[in-house]
Amino acid sequence: MELLKYLNEAVTPYHSVELAAAFLQEAGFAEQKLEEPLLPERGGAYFVRIYGTGIAAYTVGREFAAGDALHIAAAHTDYPCLRVKPRAELTAGEYKRLNVEVYGGAILNTWFDRPLSLAGRVALRGENAYTPRLRTVDFKRPLLTVPNLAIHMNREVNKGVEYKPQRDLLPLLGIMGEEDAKESYFVDLLANEMKVQSKDILDFDLSVYCAEPACLLGADEEFISAPRLDNQLSCYALLNALCDARHQKGISMVLLYDHEEIGSRSKQGADSALTAGLLERIYEALGAERQDLRQAMAKGILLSVDAAHALHPGRQESYDPVNRAVINKGVVLKINTSQRYAFDTETVAIIQMLCEEAGVPYQKFANHGDVAGGSTLGPIISSWLPMRAIDIGVPMLAMHSARELAGGKDIGYLKQLLTAFFC
């Protein structure tokens, strides 16, 4: 799976899951249905889609024994962006605008004056009330933009502006034409794109995304510049590592969750009973008992694989004086004594030794003492699954911007470490 192509196509959690499913099927993984019995066998490889925006993939060793150590690594499919509201049509003069709200902790000013597009899932009328037709859509072209106010009308703009999403972040869609219906021009556009009738569109979950493609940049093309690096880089590395490494004992599992950027409290989020329930079903189907699963968790390791903060060349005072991470200098082990990142000293030591055995450079990161920093999947999952856990990731700049920056070497280091973890 080629990285830049993956980044350009994983435009929403729905598309990320479709890409993952296709990649796993090509690698020999069999699909199982969440609503059906899970019937894994020793030596098998499987994946389960989780409500369209998440996925769980796992392998069972040929020599599987019930108490073998469990290896889990997790990432997330969502990213900060603009999401379309149910009544999407807004007009201002003769302009068509799109009614949106901010999803997650986006850096708002990075969304201005860019070519933007639109993608997601649409629910269409089905044969009965319980079976709507669900389809993904991606306009795959520059469709929208959020225009800045000219400096002539806001002379203070370079001193900093407080943006109000309902006023300032509404994308421009077009000019109202005589043939356009003021109350339905967006739904009509969506119906035309999908080649369906407007009356058959019942609902949609659509994201505005940056339409500029991912690219390499730098004097030696050492950087990756792209939208959605947080956390599609981790998803990409995890999928590749799981397919490349087939451990002969125990279970290895990749979990790609949705809704991390808004707290993970959903049925497909990390802060739910979903993972524990999946593991119970898998182990029961393999003839194991609940006590065997608890034993496997106690022996096992959980990796939370999310983006890490790279040292900013112009704002070094915002970082700890010595516990810093630099792009292309290795995988980051993220330490936070308040457990905003999951870690314990034993697990840190295990990952350090695993890095050394695999020839992977690593760095340790801690936040500046006056900066709280963000949180991750790690503490949430480990509160549901009492396993030794650690947060790791690829260092990047401009995290939560419409475009982010990471290092080409680091994604290779991460994949190398994850492959060793699953072997």
Side-chain angles (χ1 to χ4, degrees):
M1 182 163 47
E2 197 270 317
L3 174 59
L4 296 185
K5 183 175 185 293
Y6 173 85
L7 291 171
N8 289 333
E9 293 182 5
V11 292
T12 72
Y14 298 105
H15 292 82
S16 181
V17 167
E18 287 187 349
L19 281 170
F23 179 70
L24 290 166
Q25 284 177 325
E26 188 174 342
F29 284 63
E31 182 168 8
Q32 298 177 317
K33 302 290 186 182
L34 192 63
E35 66 273 20
E36 297 176 357
L38 304 184
L39 301 173
E41 298 178 355
R42 286 165 175 78
Y46 309 93
F47 71 91
V48 183
R49 300 180 208 237
I50 302 168
Y51 301 109
T53 60
I55 197 165
Y58 66 99
T59 61
V60 184
R62 292 187 181 279
E63 302 170 19
F64 170 84
D68 290 340
L70 175 62
H71 285 195
I72 299 177
H76 61 89
T77 60
D78 61 326
Y79 66 98
C81 63
L82 308 176
R83 295 278 179 94
V84 183
K85 291 183 178 180
R87 289 282 299 274
E89 294 86 0
L90 288 175
T91 57
E94 297 301 315
Y95 294 116
K96 299 178 187 176
R97 304 173 85 193
L98 202 57
N99 195 7
V100 301
E101 59 185 324
V102 178
Y103 175 89
I107 303 178
L108 299 181
N109 64 6
T110 65
W111 286 84
F112 284 83
D113 304 321
R114 293 181 180 274
L116 305 172
S117 194
L118 200 63
R121 174 182 271 187
V122 179
L124 302 170
R125 196 175 305 279
E127 293 183 0
N128 61 68
Y130 289 97
T131 57
R133 292 179 291 143
L134 302 175
R135 284 178 52 186
T136 54
V137 62
D138 181 1
F139 280 81
K140 293 186 178 181
R141 64 182 184 274
L143 183 72
L144 307 159
T145 193
V146 180
N148 251 307
L149 183 64
I151 193 170
H152 312 79
M153 299 167 188
N154 183 9
R155 293 291 183 179
E156 304 298 307
V157 63
N158 290 322
K159 295 181 181 180
V161 174
E162 180 183 357
Y163 294 108
K164 297 184 180 298
Q166 190 63 57
R167 179 192 69 190
D168 301 317
L169 269 293
L170 303 180
L172 179 64
L173 178 61
I175 302 292
M176 184 70 68
E178 292 182 3
E179 71 283 359
D180 293 317
K182 186 174 182 179
E183 300 298 323
S184 64
Y185 61 76
F186 174 70
V187 172
D188 293 341
L189 174 70
L190 182 60
N192 183 65
E193 182 71 17
M194 300 183 67
K195 296 179 171 53
V196 299
Q197 297 294 315
S198 296
K199 63 182 178 61
D200 289 333
I201 295 177
L202 300 176
D203 196 37
F204 46 75
D205 181 8
L206 298 173
S207 299
V208 176
Y209 71 87
C210 178
E212 299 162 312
C215 68
L216 302 179
L217 62 78
D220 297 311
E221 294 191 333
E222 61 265 56
F223 299 117
I224 300 169
S225 171
R228 304 174 293 279
L229 292 181
D230 174 15
N231 192 23
Q232 290 303 331
L233 275 186
S234 297
C235 296
Y236 173 85
L238 285 169
L239 292 168
N240 279 275
L242 187 65
C243 291
D244 288 348
R246 294 295 177 90
H247 190 40
Q248 295 306 305
K249 295 184 178 180
I251 288 177
S252 295
M253 176 177 277
V254 163
L255 294 162
L256 305 183
Y257 294 100
D258 192 10
H259 296 149
E260 190 273 347
E261 299 292 358
I262 55 171
S264 297
R265 293 180 64 85
S266 68
K267 64 186 182 302
Q268 61 265 55
D271 197 8
S272 74
L274 172 75
T275 306
L278 276 176
L279 288 170
E280 289 174 2
R281 293 169 65 184
I282 291 166
Y283 274 77
E284 181 180 349
L286 290 167
E289 299 180 357
R290 183 181 292 265
Q291 179 175 305
D292 298 317
L293 173 56
R294 298 297 180 188
Q295 183 179 344
M297 287 193 292
K299 290 180 180 178
I301 299 286
L302 165 67
L303 301 184
S304 170
V305 190
D306 206 340
H309 293 291
L311 179 67
H312 192 290
R315 297 294 297 271
Q316 298 193 30
E317 72 279 3
S318 298
Y319 298 77
D320 183 85
V322 290
N323 295 286
R324 300 169 160 193
V326 178
I327 287 177
N328 281 334
K329 296 298 182 181
V331 175
V332 179
L333 282 57
K334 300 156 70 173
I335 311 297
N336 182 272
T337 56
S338 298
Q339 289 292 312
R340 295 177 75 85
Y341 305 139
F343 86 100
D344 61 70
T345 299
E346 179 187 9
T347 313
V348 171
I350 290 170
I351 298 303
Q352 285 182 239
M353 290 189 288
L354 194 59
C355 284
E356 290 167 3
E357 291 174 4
V360 174
Y362 63 88
Q363 314 171 73
K364 290 184 180 178
F365 172 87
N367 283 308
H368 188 287
D370 300 328
V371 178
S375 190
T376 67
L377 296 167
I380 295 172
I381 306 170
S382 59
S383 70
W384 283 93
L385 303 176
M387 298 174 67
R388 292 172 294 180
I390 183 171
D391 263 286
I392 66 171
V394 167
M396 66 176 60
L397 291 168
M399 192 185 299
H400 287 199
S401 172
R403 285 185 77 91
E404 299 160 323
L405 191 73
K409 289 182 180 178
D410 288 327
I411 186 63
Y413 295 144
L414 179 61
K415 181 177 176 295
Q416 193 175 340
L417 171 58
L418 293 172
T419 303
F421 174 71
F422 286 132
C423 283

